[in-house]
Amino acid sequence: MKREAQDTVQWFELDLPEVMHYRNEVLRKTHTSGKRIHQVASDLSSPEWVDKLTSAGLNTRESAVWVVEGLLMYLPQAGVSDLLKRVRGLAAPGSTICGDILNESHFSSPYTQPLLAVWKQWAAPPVSGYDHPEELLSASGFTAPCVKQLGADGTDYGVVGAEFLAFVAGNPRPQQGPDPMPRNLLFHAVV
């Protein structure tokens, strides 16, 4: 976060209590803190997080950026829909939501089975994906959804290699119907 914004931006972190505890240990060791960081330990698959977040100071009349990175794939589809609708209910006009989501082929593709096996060993396997999250975002009350595959259209962010970029370029995401290729999709939408 830029130094100029540190006195005006409020940062709310929501996560499971055990994850929050681990994060605090790491931050304490690195002496990273901020007076406007609000940590809210809660299970985001339960509706209780809404009251905890507003009690921690979230102003639902001010626009916000909601980041749901590395989360939605761990919730069942009904849980994803519930979470997005709750975020939409809290989000003021001008707010943005962004994050990532797996597509459905991630669960059946032979390319992803080794990764899924590792996640299963970690007791944190993903459970849901969407081929067309634009529909999910629109149904949850967000507008102008934009979805891109990691590595497509300038979304490599310097973290993916040339071989992956060539693969993505040769296998564009279908605009309708099922998608046979496993993909990690990045999205954003507005209120």
Side-chain angles (χ1 to χ4, degrees):
M1 180 182 312
K2 291 186 175 182
R3 183 169 286 300
E4 309 87 61
Q6 288 180 353
D7 290 332
T8 59
V9 172
Q10 293 200 51
W11 185 272
F12 294 86
E13 295 179 348
L14 287 94
D15 217 324
L16 294 170
E18 58 271 17
V19 174
M20 193 70 65
H21 175 76
Y22 175 76
R23 183 180 299 124
N24 286 338
E25 289 297 314
V26 171
L27 292 176
R28 194 179 83 241
K29 289 177 185 173
T30 61
H31 307 292
T32 303
S33 64
K35 62 183 176 184
R36 300 180 68 84
I37 296 175
H38 308 274
Q39 295 185 327
V40 181
S42 188
D43 182 347
L44 292 171
S45 66
S46 169
E48 70 180 13
W49 68 267
V50 172
D51 290 336
K52 287 183 173 184
L53 183 58
T54 55
S55 294
L58 176 70
N59 184 343
T60 59
R61 294 181 308 275
E62 292 182 1
S63 61
V65 176
W66 296 81
V67 181
V68 289
E69 177 205 12
L71 168 66
L72 301 180
M73 66 183 166
Y74 296 110
L75 300 175
Q77 287 191 343
V80 172
S81 179
D82 289 346
L83 177 80
L84 291 176
K85 287 176 182 173
R86 286 188 182 100
V87 167
R88 175 57 189 94
L90 292 169
S95 294
T96 298
I97 186 169
C98 59
D100 66 336
I101 196 163
L102 301 177
N103 73 344
E104 294 176 29
S105 292
H106 239 278
F107 300 93
S108 58
S109 171
Y111 299 118
T112 56
Q113 294 312 301
L115 178 58
L116 292 172
V118 169
W119 279 335
K120 190 174 182 178
Q121 287 176 344
W122 289 345
V127 296
S128 67
Y130 295 84
D131 283 343
H132 302 285
E134 301 91 337
E135 298 165 4
L136 171 69
L137 291 161
S138 293
S140 299
F142 293 96
T143 60
C146 177
V147 178
K148 296 182 179 184
Q149 176 181 344
L150 177 63
D153 302 319
T155 61
D156 67 337
Y157 306 110
V159 297
V160 295
E163 186 176 312
F164 181 79
L165 293 174
F167 175 81
V168 169
N171 295 281
R173 183 174 162 252
Q175 295 304 308
Q176 297 178 347
D179 185 352
M181 299 303 298
R183 301 178 196 275
N184 185 349
L185 303 172
L186 308 175
F187 68 83
H188 67 86
V190 296
V191 173

